[in-house]
Amino acid sequence: MLEIWGRPYSSNVIPVIWTANELGLDYTLQLAGGSFGKLDTEMYLQINPNRMIPAIRDGDFALWESLAIVRYLCDRYGAGTLSPSDIQTRAIADQWMEWSASRAFGPVIYLFFATVRTQPDQRDPEKIAKLRDEAHEALTILNQHLADKAYVCGDSFTMADIPLGCVAYRYFNVEVARPPLPNVEAWYQRLAERPAYQDHVMRHFGTNPDEWAALEKACSSEGAL
C-alpha cells in the first residue's frame, strides 16, 4: 500500500495527492507536519532525513521532494499516459515541471501568503501589486506556450500539468485584479473539469487562524484517505 505523508492542503503535498488520484492509486494519507507532528520521530527520519513533507513509502521504497514523487508515481503507474512515452515529450514535461518550481511557484505562493494568509488590515498593497505583476509576468510565458495546446505537452493531460495546475488554482483564487491570460484561463477551466482536481486541488484555503485550525481538525477527523 502506498503511503503519502503530509497535510492535504499543503502546497507541496497537493500535487502528490492529485497525482495519486489521477492514477487511481490506493493509498493511505499519513497526516504529518503542522499540528499533526510526526516529523521529529525516528521512523520519519528514515523516510525523509530533512523532516519535511511530502514523502512517500511505496512498499519498502521511500522518496521525498514533491516533484520527484510526482515523476516517480507517473513513471511507475502512468507510463505512456501521465508520463509521456516519447522521450522528447517527456523532456518537455520535465522542462515545464522545473519551470513551475523555479519561476511560477514563488511569486504565486508569496502572493497567496500576502493576501489569503494575511489579515486584511495587515496587507501591504504595494507588496501585493508587485507579487501580482511578477506572477503575471511568469504566467505570460505559459500563456504563450498554450496558444496552440490544450495541455502543457499538447493534446493530452500529463504530469507537466500537475504542478502548474496547483499554481494556477492559487493564482486564480486570490483577491487581486489580474490582467487577462486567455490561454492559461482556458487551460485552467479544462483542469477544473477533472474530478481529481476538483476534489484535491480546489479546496478552501481558510483566511484566518481559526479557519486554519478548523482545517487541521477536519483533516484529522478524515483520518486515512
Side-chain angles (χ1 to χ4, degrees):
M1 172 69 74
L2 175 68
E3 294 179 354
I4 299 173
W5 291 72
R7 303 189 309 279
Y9 47 86
S10 162
S11 59
N12 288 318
V13 179
I14 289 170
V16 175
I17 294 176
W18 180 17
T19 300
N21 282 275
E22 285 285 353
L23 292 167
L25 303 180
D26 290 329
Y27 66 92
T28 298
L29 177 62
Q30 301 287 354
L31 294 169
S35 67
F36 302 116
K38 303 179 185 177
L39 303 186
D40 59 353
T41 64
E42 284 302 312
M43 180 185 69
Y44 195 73
L45 178 64
Q46 301 304 311
I47 299 172
N48 187 352
N50 301 288
R51 300 187 185 276
M52 300 174 69
I53 54 173
I56 65 166
R57 281 198 305 198
D58 192 11
D60 295 330
F61 178 69
L63 188 67
W64 38 270
E65 290 296 327
S66 180
L67 296 187
I69 296 170
V70 170
R71 288 186 179 98
Y72 165 76
L73 294 176
C74 291
D75 287 342
R76 179 165 186 184
Y77 299 107
T81 55
L82 267 63
S83 178
S85 55
D86 176 75
I87 191 169
Q88 292 185 348
T89 306
R90 174 64 160 73
I92 293 297
D94 273 337
Q95 169 188 272
W96 283 100
M97 292 175 76
E98 292 296 318
W99 181 86
S100 176
S102 66
R103 184 73 194 276
F105 179 81
V108 171
I109 199 65
Y110 288 126
L111 178 62
F112 168 78
F113 277 103
T115 52
V116 174
R117 293 295 299 273
T118 302
Q119 295 288 354
D121 61 349
Q122 297 175 3
R123 294 174 186 171
D124 182 340
E126 291 186 4
K127 178 181 179 180
I128 290 170
K130 181 176 182 293
L131 290 168
R132 177 205 60 200
D133 292 347
E134 290 176 358
H136 177 76
E137 180 182 2
L139 292 174
T140 295
I141 297 171
L142 178 62
N143 191 67
Q144 294 168 345
H145 175 72
L146 290 170
D148 59 352
K149 298 174 182 66
Y151 296 99
V152 173
C153 284
D155 294 334
S156 301
F157 176 86
T158 69
M159 64 185 186
D161 297 283
I162 290 174
L164 283 168
C166 295
V167 168
Y169 179 67
R170 291 184 184 251
Y171 177 73
F172 286 119
N173 288 277
V174 294
E175 295 181 2
V176 295
R178 288 174 294 273
L181 291 166
N183 301 323
V184 174
E185 291 163 17
W187 163 76
Y188 169 64
Q189 291 303 319
R190 284 189 282 275
L191 297 182
E193 295 173 0
R194 305 183 73 87
Y197 190 78
Q198 296 168 9
D199 292 343
H200 301 284
V201 182
M202 303 177 74
R203 299 182 66 130
H204 177 58
F205 292 137
T207 56
N208 61 52
D210 289 340
E211 286 184 292
W212 282 96
L215 279 173
E216 298 261 299
K217 183 177 180 181
C219 288
S220 182
S221 67
E222 288 176 6
L225 299 180

